[in-house]
């Protein structure tokens, strides 16, 4: 194992390399991006790049692992007072999260790589399963107090997040939906009310 003399400098360089790699992967695909291209974009030698990462696959996994979702920061201690407000905060947080260029790049990578890379598909699906389970147990369950099964909560949480992702995909990648659905605030408020009502009134 290579000794790291300056941990902070090492980590800063590592994140810089991941940032450049993410941009290249999003623009031209993982398979089409070489380690040489990444080294050039990062203004380092190939040897330096290999010092940090053994392969493109390792870089891709690291990019996915560093993805921070807003729901992961929510805990039982800071949940809003009611379920509708909880859904609303998650929705607003997700849209704000996707305003950041690096997260749009990540979305492009995921859409491309999970369709053609079986290992990445498996890795990402395990990430989705973990996220949905956490959302059901740590976010929704405290409001329902045993009135719904975990399976029911997982389904609702998945549907809610899927609606957000689909809305964001259309707005950011395809075309603006504001004339049809209203602005982000209107959409998220209605979505939160719909899903909170579906859980509380059924």
């Amino acid at each position: 194992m290579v000794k790291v003399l300056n941990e902070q400098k090492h980590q800063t360089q590592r994140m810089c390399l991941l940032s450049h790699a993410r941009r290249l992967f999003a623009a031209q695909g993982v398979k089409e991006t070489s380690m040489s291209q990444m080294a050039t974009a990062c203004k380092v030698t190939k040897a330096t790049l290999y010092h940090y990462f053994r392969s493109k696959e390792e870089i891709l996994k690291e990019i996915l692992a560093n993805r921070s979702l807003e729901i992961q920061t929510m805990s039982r201690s800071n949940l809003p007072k009611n379920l509708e407000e909880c859904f609303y905060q998650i929705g607003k947080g997700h849209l704000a999260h996707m305003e950041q260029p690096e997260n749009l790049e990540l979305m492009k990578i995921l859409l491309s790589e999970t369709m053609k890379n079986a290992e990445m598909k498996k890795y990402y699906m395990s990430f989705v399963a973990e996220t949905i389970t956490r959302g059901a147990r740590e976010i929704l369950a405290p409001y329902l107090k045993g009135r719904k099964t975990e399976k029911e909560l997982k389904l609702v949480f998945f549907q809610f997040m899927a609606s957000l992702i689909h809305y964001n995909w259309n707005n950011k990648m395809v075309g603006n939906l504001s004339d049809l659905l209203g602005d982000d605030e209107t959409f998220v408020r209605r979505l939160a009310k719909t899903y909170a009502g579906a859980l509380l009134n059924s």
Side-chain angles (χ1 to χ4, degrees):
M1 183 176 178
V2 178
K3 185 177 180 180
V4 178
L5 298 179
N6 187 322
E7 183 61 37
Q8 184 176 359
K9 184 177 179 180
H10 177 84
Q11 188 60 22
T12 298
Q13 176 73 317
R14 186 179 182 86
M15 295 308 293
C16 180
L17 295 174
L18 287 173
S19 178
H20 283 292
R22 187 188 61 245
R23 281 195 285 272
L24 285 171
F25 288 168
Q28 59 191 39
V30 175
K31 184 177 180 180
E32 295 75 15
T33 301
S34 67
M35 293 292 274
S36 293
Q37 285 178 310
M38 282 188 278
T40 299
C42 299
K43 298 180 180 179
V44 298
T45 64
K46 276 183 69 176
T48 297
L49 184 59
Y50 276 109
H51 168 76
Y52 287 90
F53 304 103
R54 290 173 293 182
S55 66
K56 289 191 293 183
E57 289 70 26
E58 182 178 324
I59 292 172
L60 181 56
K61 285 184 177 181
E62 185 89 10
I63 290 170
L64 294 178
N66 284 336
R67 185 185 185 194
S68 58
L69 289 180
E70 62 281 350
I71 64 168
Q72 292 179 350
T73 64
M74 271 195 171
S75 67
R76 294 180 181 89
S77 62
N78 64 0
L79 290 175
K81 292 182 179 180
N82 63 70
L83 186 57
E84 183 176 333
E85 185 63 22
C86 179
F87 275 125
Y88 170 75
Q89 287 193 17
I90 294 172
K92 288 291 285 186
H94 173 78
L95 295 185
H97 183 79
M98 295 309 300
E99 285 293 327
Q100 300 170 28
E102 60 267 28
N103 293 319
L104 289 176
E105 291 169 350
L106 179 58
M107 181 184 286
K108 289 179 181 178
I109 294 169
L110 289 172
L111 286 170
S112 171
E113 296 307 313
T114 55
M115 295 293 289
K116 58 189 178 183
N117 186 321
E119 185 180 356
M120 283 301 105
K121 180 179 180 178
K122 182 179 179 181
Y123 182 88
Y124 180 63
M125 289 308 295
S126 68
F127 174 79
V128 170
E130 180 185 343
T131 299
I132 297 304
T133 299
R134 184 185 298 112
R137 291 178 181 173
E138 299 181 11
I139 297 178
L140 300 187
Y143 293 103
L144 279 298
K145 303 185 186 305
R147 289 165 52 191
K148 299 289 182 183
T149 66
E150 183 172 298
K151 186 174 182 179
E152 289 173 314
L153 295 180
K154 285 181 180 179
L155 177 60
V156 170
F157 194 77
F158 176 79
Q159 290 171 328
F160 175 74
M161 293 304 299
S163 296
L164 281 171
I165 292 168
H166 185 66
Y167 170 82
N168 191 75
W169 167 256
N170 277 283
N171 271 350
K172 301 298 182 187
M173 305 293 189
V174 182
N176 193 290
L177 293 172
S178 59
D179 289 342
L180 180 65
L181 302 176
D183 58 15
D184 288 353
E185 177 72 16
T186 300
F187 175 77
V188 174
R189 280 291 182 195
R190 288 177 179 171
L191 196 67
K193 185 175 182 178
T194 297
Y195 277 91
L199 279 176
L200 296 173
N201 300 324
S202 61

